[in-house]
């Protein structure tokens, strides 16, 4: 079965850094567009960043994280990363990994999430 397992969430002070990882199994990883979403208490789930399939040549970010977060993927390790620098309290949320395959064989999967808390 398909599994997306996130890790790397932690409690960090403002200005700190974290790297989230999402290891994927059960699908042909390189074909999938990978994304990171986040959801803070009382708020809707928000798309944070996207990276295209195959070589990952296309990336996108929500405005609030541009210049601070970097998404990347390692197809040999079936893993997508989110490097988060200069973290702010507003980044506090549960972070979720998402995989989607577009087209006639559309399919999508979610991970269970990893908690990021930014607080002094």
């Amino acid at each position: 079965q398909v599994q997306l397992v996130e890790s790397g969430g932690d409690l960090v002070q403002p200005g700190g850094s974290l790297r989230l990882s999402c290891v994927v199994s059960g699908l042909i990883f390189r074909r999938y567009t990978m994304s990171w979403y986040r959801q803070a208490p009382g708020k809707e789930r928000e798309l944070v960043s996207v990276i295209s399939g195959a070589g990952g040549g296309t990336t996108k970010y929500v405005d609030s994280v541009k210049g601070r977060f970097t998404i990347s993927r390692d197809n040999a390790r079936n893993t997508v990363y989110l490097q988060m620098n200069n973290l702010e309290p507003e980044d506090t949320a549960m972070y979720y990994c998402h995989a989607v395959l577009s087209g006639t064989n559309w399919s999508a999967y979610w991970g269970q999430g990893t908690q990021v808390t930014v607080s002094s």
Side-chain angles (χ1 to χ4, degrees):
Q1 72 277 21
V2 177
Q3 286 190 310
L4 284 69
V5 180
E6 302 98 330
S7 62
D10 205 345
L11 170 62
V12 63
Q13 292 187 345
S17 296
L18 286 174
R19 187 175 82 155
L20 305 184
S21 299
C22 173
V23 179
V24 181
S25 60
L27 52 77
I28 303 175
F29 179 74
R30 66 181 182 275
R31 294 183 180 177
Y32 281 73
T33 296
M34 299 300 300
S35 303
W36 286 97
Y37 285 74
R38 65 186 179 186
Q39 187 167 20
K43 295 187 177 182
E44 293 188 354
R45 192 168 293 191
E46 172 188 43
L47 176 60
V48 176
S49 184
V50 184
I51 187 166
S52 58
T58 300
T59 58
K60 295 183 179 180
Y61 301 90
V62 66
D63 285 347
S64 60
V65 308
K66 284 181 180 177
R68 301 188 298 122
F69 290 12
T70 303
I71 191 170
S72 62
R73 66 189 296 156
D74 184 340
N75 291 339
R77 291 180 167 81
N78 284 11
T79 302
V80 60
Y81 304 98
L82 186 67
Q83 177 67 44
M84 306 187 295
N85 298 328
N86 194 21
L87 283 159
E88 303 170 353
E90 293 73 22
D91 297 317
T92 295
M94 184 72 77
Y95 283 72
Y96 297 92
C97 181
H98 180 258
V100 63
L101 178 66
S102 301
T104 55
N105 295 318
W106 183 91
S107 57
Y109 305 93
W110 290 96
Q112 293 297 311
T114 185
Q115 178 67 39
V116 172
T117 303
V118 184
S119 175
S120 55

